[in-house]
mmCIF file of all heavy atoms in Angstrom:
data_model
loop_
_atom_site.group_PDB
_atom_site.id
_atom_site.type_symbol
_atom_site.label_atom_id
_atom_site.label_comp_id
_atom_site.label_asym_id
_atom_site.label_seq_id
_atom_site.Cartn_x
_atom_site.Cartn_y
_atom_site.Cartn_z
ATOM 1 N N VAL A 1 45.130 2.329 -20.326
ATOM 2 C CA VAL A 1 45.468 3.751 -20.349
ATOM 3 C C VAL A 1 44.800 4.455 -21.522
ATOM 4 O O VAL A 1 44.199 5.533 -21.373
ATOM 5 C CB VAL A 1 47.003 3.937 -20.391
ATOM 6 C CG1 VAL A 1 47.357 5.369 -20.793
ATOM 7 C CG2 VAL A 1 47.618 3.601 -19.043
ATOM 8 N N HIS A 2 44.882 3.874 -22.704
ATOM 9 C CA HIS A 2 44.295 4.509 -23.886
ATOM 10 C C HIS A 2 42.772 4.549 -23.805
ATOM 11 O O HIS A 2 42.144 5.544 -24.181
ATOM 12 C CB HIS A 2 44.751 3.783 -25.149
ATOM 13 C CG HIS A 2 46.157 4.110 -25.543
ATOM 14 N ND1 HIS A 2 47.233 3.329 -25.180
ATOM 15 C CD2 HIS A 2 46.674 5.143 -26.246
ATOM 16 C CE1 HIS A 2 48.338 3.864 -25.653
ATOM 17 N NE2 HIS A 2 48.036 4.967 -26.299
ATOM 18 N N MET A 3 42.168 3.472 -23.309
ATOM 19 C CA MET A 3 40.712 3.445 -23.196
ATOM 20 C C MET A 3 40.212 4.450 -22.165
ATOM 21 O O MET A 3 39.227 5.157 -22.391
ATOM 22 C CB MET A 3 40.245 2.032 -22.827
ATOM 23 C CG MET A 3 40.387 1.014 -23.935
ATOM 24 S SD MET A 3 39.831 -0.632 -23.386
ATOM 25 C CE MET A 3 40.211 -1.619 -24.842
ATOM 26 N N VAL A 4 40.888 4.513 -21.027
ATOM 27 C CA VAL A 4 40.485 5.457 -19.988
ATOM 28 C C VAL A 4 40.607 6.884 -20.497
ATOM 29 O O VAL A 4 39.713 7.724 -20.300
ATOM 30 C CB VAL A 4 41.333 5.260 -18.714
ATOM 31 C CG1 VAL A 4 41.112 6.406 -17.726
ATOM 32 C CG2 VAL A 4 41.006 3.927 -18.055
ATOM 33 N N LYS A 5 41.705 7.181 -21.161
ATOM 34 C CA LYS A 5 41.931 8.527 -21.692
ATOM 35 C C LYS A 5 40.853 8.929 -22.683
ATOM 36 O O LYS A 5 40.389 10.073 -22.685
ATOM 37 C CB LYS A 5 43.308 8.592 -22.351
ATOM 38 C CG LYS A 5 43.702 9.976 -22.820
ATOM 39 C CD LYS A 5 45.113 9.974 -23.386
ATOM 40 C CE LYS A 5 45.543 11.361 -23.842
ATOM 41 N NZ LYS A 5 46.915 11.357 -24.414
ATOM 42 N N ASP A 6 40.418 7.986 -23.495
ATOM 43 C CA ASP A 6 39.469 8.293 -24.560
ATOM 44 C C ASP A 6 38.004 8.174 -24.153
ATOM 45 O O ASP A 6 37.141 8.828 -24.748
ATOM 46 C CB ASP A 6 39.711 7.363 -25.762
ATOM 47 C CG ASP A 6 41.037 7.614 -26.448
ATOM 48 O OD1 ASP A 6 41.607 8.709 -26.257
ATOM 49 O OD2 ASP A 6 41.516 6.714 -27.167
ATOM 50 N N GLU A 7 37.704 7.343 -23.128
ATOM 51 C CA GLU A 7 36.312 6.959 -22.907
ATOM 52 C C GLU A 7 35.748 7.253 -21.516
ATOM 53 O O GLU A 7 34.529 7.321 -21.349
ATOM 54 C CB GLU A 7 36.144 5.448 -23.177
ATOM 55 C CG GLU A 7 36.563 5.007 -24.570
ATOM 56 C CD GLU A 7 36.458 3.504 -24.744
ATOM 57 O OE1 GLU A 7 35.627 2.886 -24.043
ATOM 58 O OE2 GLU A 7 37.212 2.944 -25.567
ATOM 59 N N VAL A 8 36.598 7.386 -20.511
ATOM 60 C CA VAL A 8 36.107 7.480 -19.135
ATOM 61 C C VAL A 8 36.071 8.939 -18.683
ATOM 62 O O VAL A 8 37.027 9.694 -18.905
ATOM 63 C CB VAL A 8 36.999 6.653 -18.179
ATOM 64 C CG1 VAL A 8 36.526 6.802 -16.733
ATOM 65 C CG2 VAL A 8 36.991 5.178 -18.589
ATOM 66 N N ASN A 9 34.969 9.316 -18.045
ATOM 67 C CA ASN A 9 34.846 10.672 -17.530
ATOM 68 C C ASN A 9 35.987 10.988 -16.572
ATOM 69 O O ASN A 9 36.375 10.149 -15.753
ATOM 70 C CB ASN A 9 33.507 10.850 -16.801
ATOM 71 C CG ASN A 9 32.328 10.862 -17.747
ATOM 72 O OD1 ASN A 9 32.479 11.118 -18.936
ATOM 73 N ND2 ASN A 9 31.143 10.573 -17.224
ATOM 74 N N THR A 10 36.478 12.189 -16.645
ATOM 75 C CA THR A 10 37.635 12.564 -15.827
ATOM 76 C C THR A 10 37.312 12.657 -14.340
ATOM 77 O O THR A 10 38.222 12.721 -13.519
ATOM 78 C CB THR A 10 38.225 13.900 -16.310
ATOM 79 O OG1 THR A 10 37.196 14.898 -16.294
ATOM 80 C CG2 THR A 10 38.779 13.770 -17.722
ATOM 81 N N ASP A 11 36.026 12.656 -13.972
ATOM 82 C CA ASP A 11 35.688 12.694 -12.552
ATOM 83 C C ASP A 11 35.706 11.307 -11.917
ATOM 84 O O ASP A 11 35.463 11.162 -10.716
ATOM 85 C CB ASP A 11 34.330 13.361 -12.325
ATOM 86 C CG ASP A 11 33.174 12.582 -12.932
ATOM 87 O OD1 ASP A 11 33.418 11.731 -13.814
ATOM 88 O OD2 ASP A 11 32.017 12.821 -12.530
ATOM 89 N N VAL A 12 36.012 10.287 -12.715
ATOM 90 C CA VAL A 12 36.173 8.925 -12.204
ATOM 91 C C VAL A 12 37.666 8.623 -12.120
ATOM 92 O O VAL A 12 38.380 8.704 -13.119
ATOM 93 C CB VAL A 12 35.486 7.893 -13.121
ATOM 94 C CG1 VAL A 12 35.731 6.472 -12.593
ATOM 95 C CG2 VAL A 12 33.999 8.176 -13.232
ATOM 96 N N GLN A 13 38.133 8.299 -10.922
ATOM 97 C CA GLN A 13 39.545 7.939 -10.753
ATOM 98 C C GLN A 13 39.715 6.450 -11.016
ATOM 99 O O GLN A 13 39.028 5.622 -10.420
ATOM 100 C CB GLN A 13 40.031 8.273 -9.341
ATOM 101 C CG GLN A 13 41.525 8.033 -9.156
ATOM 102 C CD GLN A 13 42.037 8.500 -7.801
ATOM 103 O OE1 GLN A 13 41.309 8.504 -6.820
ATOM 104 N NE2 GLN A 13 43.294 8.895 -7.751
ATOM 105 N N VAL A 14 40.643 6.123 -11.918
ATOM 106 C CA VAL A 14 40.910 4.735 -12.291
ATOM 107 C C VAL A 14 42.306 4.362 -11.796
ATOM 108 O O VAL A 14 43.278 5.059 -12.067
ATOM 109 C CB VAL A 14 40.810 4.537 -13.814
ATOM 110 C CG1 VAL A 14 41.119 3.085 -14.181
ATOM 111 C CG2 VAL A 14 39.416 4.923 -14.311
ATOM 112 N N ILE A 15 42.385 3.263 -11.067
ATOM 113 C CA ILE A 15 43.645 2.826 -10.466
ATOM 114 C C ILE A 15 43.918 1.392 -10.893
ATOM 115 O O ILE A 15 43.004 0.557 -10.902
ATOM 116 C CB ILE A 15 43.564 2.889 -8.930
ATOM 117 C CG1 ILE A 15 43.280 4.319 -8.465
ATOM 118 C CG2 ILE A 15 44.844 2.369 -8.280
ATOM 119 C CD1 ILE A 15 42.760 4.402 -7.044
ATOM 120 N N ILE A 16 45.157 1.096 -11.263
ATOM 121 C CA ILE A 16 45.538 -0.290 -11.505
ATOM 122 C C ILE A 16 46.558 -0.708 -10.447
ATOM 123 O O ILE A 16 47.386 0.085 -10.022
ATOM 124 C CB ILE A 16 46.098 -0.519 -12.923
ATOM 125 C CG1 ILE A 16 47.342 0.333 -13.188
ATOM 126 C CG2 ILE A 16 45.021 -0.262 -13.966
ATOM 127 C CD1 ILE A 16 48.061 -0.034 -14.495
ATOM 128 N N ALA A 17 46.462 -1.969 -10.023
ATOM 129 C CA ALA A 17 47.367 -2.508 -9.009
ATOM 130 C C ALA A 17 48.028 -3.776 -9.558
ATOM 131 O O ALA A 17 47.565 -4.891 -9.301
ATOM 132 C CB ALA A 17 46.617 -2.812 -7.720
ATOM 133 N N PRO A 18 49.096 -3.613 -10.320
ATOM 134 C CA PRO A 18 49.801 -4.765 -10.880
ATOM 135 C C PRO A 18 50.730 -5.393 -9.842
ATOM 136 O O PRO A 18 50.946 -4.810 -8.769
ATOM 137 C CB PRO A 18 50.605 -4.137 -12.020
ATOM 138 C CG PRO A 18 50.923 -2.766 -11.514
ATOM 139 C CD PRO A 18 49.716 -2.343 -10.718
ATOM 140 N N PRO A 19 51.304 -6.553 -10.145
ATOM 141 C CA PRO A 19 52.352 -7.083 -9.265
ATOM 142 C C PRO A 19 53.471 -6.062 -9.081
ATOM 143 O O PRO A 19 53.771 -5.279 -9.989
ATOM 144 C CB PRO A 19 52.844 -8.323 -10.025
ATOM 145 C CG PRO A 19 51.647 -8.764 -10.824
ATOM 146 C CD PRO A 19 50.985 -7.484 -11.244
ATOM 147 N N ALA A 20 54.092 -6.075 -7.909
ATOM 148 C CA ALA A 20 55.072 -5.046 -7.550
ATOM 149 C C ALA A 20 56.232 -4.957 -8.533
ATOM 150 O O ALA A 20 56.781 -3.865 -8.753
ATOM 151 C CB ALA A 20 55.603 -5.316 -6.142
ATOM 152 N N LEU A 21 56.606 -6.069 -9.144
ATOM 153 C CA LEU A 21 57.711 -6.073 -10.104
ATOM 154 C C LEU A 21 57.488 -5.094 -11.252
ATOM 155 O O LEU A 21 58.455 -4.580 -11.832
ATOM 156 C CB LEU A 21 57.885 -7.474 -10.701
ATOM 157 C CG LEU A 21 58.619 -8.527 -9.875
ATOM 158 C CD1 LEU A 21 58.482 -9.888 -10.543
ATOM 159 C CD2 LEU A 21 60.079 -8.160 -9.707
ATOM 160 N N TYR A 22 56.230 -4.822 -11.581
ATOM 161 C CA TYR A 22 55.911 -4.039 -12.769
ATOM 162 C C TYR A 22 55.577 -2.584 -12.469
ATOM 163 O O TYR A 22 55.309 -1.800 -13.382
ATOM 164 C CB TYR A 22 54.714 -4.676 -13.512
ATOM 165 C CG TYR A 22 54.836 -6.146 -13.769
ATOM 166 C CD1 TYR A 22 53.699 -6.955 -13.809
ATOM 167 C CD2 TYR A 22 56.076 -6.766 -13.974
ATOM 168 C CE1 TYR A 22 53.786 -8.317 -14.057
ATOM 169 C CE2 TYR A 22 56.167 -8.127 -14.217
ATOM 170 C CZ TYR A 22 55.021 -8.900 -14.255
ATOM 171 O OH TYR A 22 55.117 -10.251 -14.489
ATOM 172 N N LEU A 23 55.558 -2.219 -11.203
ATOM 173 C CA LEU A 23 55.086 -0.887 -10.834
ATOM 174 C C LEU A 23 55.875 0.228 -11.507
ATOM 175 O O LEU A 23 55.282 1.176 -12.046
ATOM 176 C CB LEU A 23 55.143 -0.706 -9.310
ATOM 177 C CG LEU A 23 54.031 -1.396 -8.514
ATOM 178 C CD1 LEU A 23 54.382 -1.404 -7.032
ATOM 179 C CD2 LEU A 23 52.700 -0.694 -8.736
ATOM 180 N N THR A 24 57.188 0.155 -11.477
ATOM 181 C CA THR A 24 58.007 1.229 -12.033
ATOM 182 C C THR A 24 57.722 1.441 -13.513
ATOM 183 O O THR A 24 57.536 2.571 -13.969
ATOM 184 C CB THR A 24 59.505 0.920 -11.835
ATOM 185 O OG1 THR A 24 59.761 0.760 -10.448
ATOM 186 C CG2 THR A 24 60.360 2.057 -12.366
ATOM 187 N N THR A 25 57.667 0.352 -14.265
ATOM 188 C CA THR A 25 57.447 0.455 -15.709
ATOM 189 C C THR A 25 56.046 0.955 -16.030
ATOM 190 O O THR A 25 55.867 1.851 -16.865
ATOM 191 C CB THR A 25 57.667 -0.916 -16.370
ATOM 192 O OG1 THR A 25 59.003 -1.352 -16.095
ATOM 193 C CG2 THR A 25 57.470 -0.833 -17.874
ATOM 194 N N LEU A 26 55.044 0.407 -15.359
ATOM 195 C CA LEU A 26 53.665 0.764 -15.692
ATOM 196 C C LEU A 26 53.286 2.145 -15.190
ATOM 197 O O LEU A 26 52.415 2.807 -15.765
ATOM 198 C CB LEU A 26 52.703 -0.284 -15.139
ATOM 199 C CG LEU A 26 52.913 -1.723 -15.642
ATOM 200 C CD1 LEU A 26 51.743 -2.600 -15.245
ATOM 201 C CD2 LEU A 26 53.129 -1.774 -17.147
ATOM 202 N N GLN A 27 53.957 2.611 -14.142
ATOM 203 C CA GLN A 27 53.682 3.958 -13.635
ATOM 204 C C GLN A 27 53.942 5.001 -14.706
ATOM 205 O O GLN A 27 53.249 6.022 -14.786
ATOM 206 C CB GLN A 27 54.523 4.227 -12.385
ATOM 207 C CG GLN A 27 54.203 5.532 -11.677
ATOM 208 C CD GLN A 27 54.973 6.723 -12.218
ATOM 209 O OE1 GLN A 27 56.039 6.555 -12.844
ATOM 210 N NE2 GLN A 27 54.452 7.921 -11.997
ATOM 211 N N LYS A 28 54.924 4.751 -15.552
ATOM 212 C CA LYS A 28 55.263 5.702 -16.615
ATOM 213 C C LYS A 28 54.125 5.820 -17.630
ATOM 214 O O LYS A 28 54.006 6.829 -18.309
ATOM 215 C CB LYS A 28 56.565 5.278 -17.297
ATOM 216 C CG LYS A 28 57.766 5.317 -16.361
ATOM 217 C CD LYS A 28 59.011 4.726 -17.008
ATOM 218 C CE LYS A 28 60.174 4.707 -16.027
ATOM 219 N NZ LYS A 28 61.379 4.042 -16.588
ATOM 220 N N HIS A 29 53.313 4.786 -17.725
ATOM 221 C CA HIS A 29 52.147 4.828 -18.618
ATOM 222 C C HIS A 29 50.982 5.559 -17.950
ATOM 223 O O HIS A 29 50.336 6.409 -18.576
ATOM 224 C CB HIS A 29 51.728 3.403 -18.999
ATOM 225 C CG HIS A 29 52.700 2.679 -19.866
ATOM 226 N ND1 HIS A 29 52.516 2.503 -21.225
ATOM 227 C CD2 HIS A 29 53.889 2.097 -19.585
ATOM 228 C CE1 HIS A 29 53.536 1.839 -21.729
ATOM 229 N NE2 HIS A 29 54.388 1.572 -20.752
ATOM 230 N N THR A 30 50.716 5.235 -16.696
ATOM 231 C CA THR A 30 49.537 5.803 -16.034
ATOM 232 C C THR A 30 49.695 7.284 -15.717
ATOM 233 O O THR A 30 48.699 8.013 -15.680
ATOM 234 C CB THR A 30 49.225 5.044 -14.729
ATOM 235 O OG1 THR A 30 50.353 5.138 -13.843
ATOM 236 C CG2 THR A 30 48.931 3.583 -15.014
#
């Protein structure tokens, strides 16, 4: 999240697909 925010052009969509158990927690970061 921090690297994408600081380094990746905003016209590139970045998606993470973690195990389902972690989706709720990690969604709050993304």
Side-chain angles (χ1 to χ4, degrees):
V1 165
H2 284 95
M3 289 179 183
V4 169
K5 185 177 181 181
D6 293 341
E7 303 176 27
V8 177
N9 289 339
T10 56
D11 65 342
V12 177
Q13 185 174 29
V14 179
I15 300 162
I16 60 171
L21 281 171
Y22 310 149
L23 283 167
T24 302
T25 301
L26 301 191
Q27 187 273 338
K28 296 173 183 176
H29 292 257
T30 60

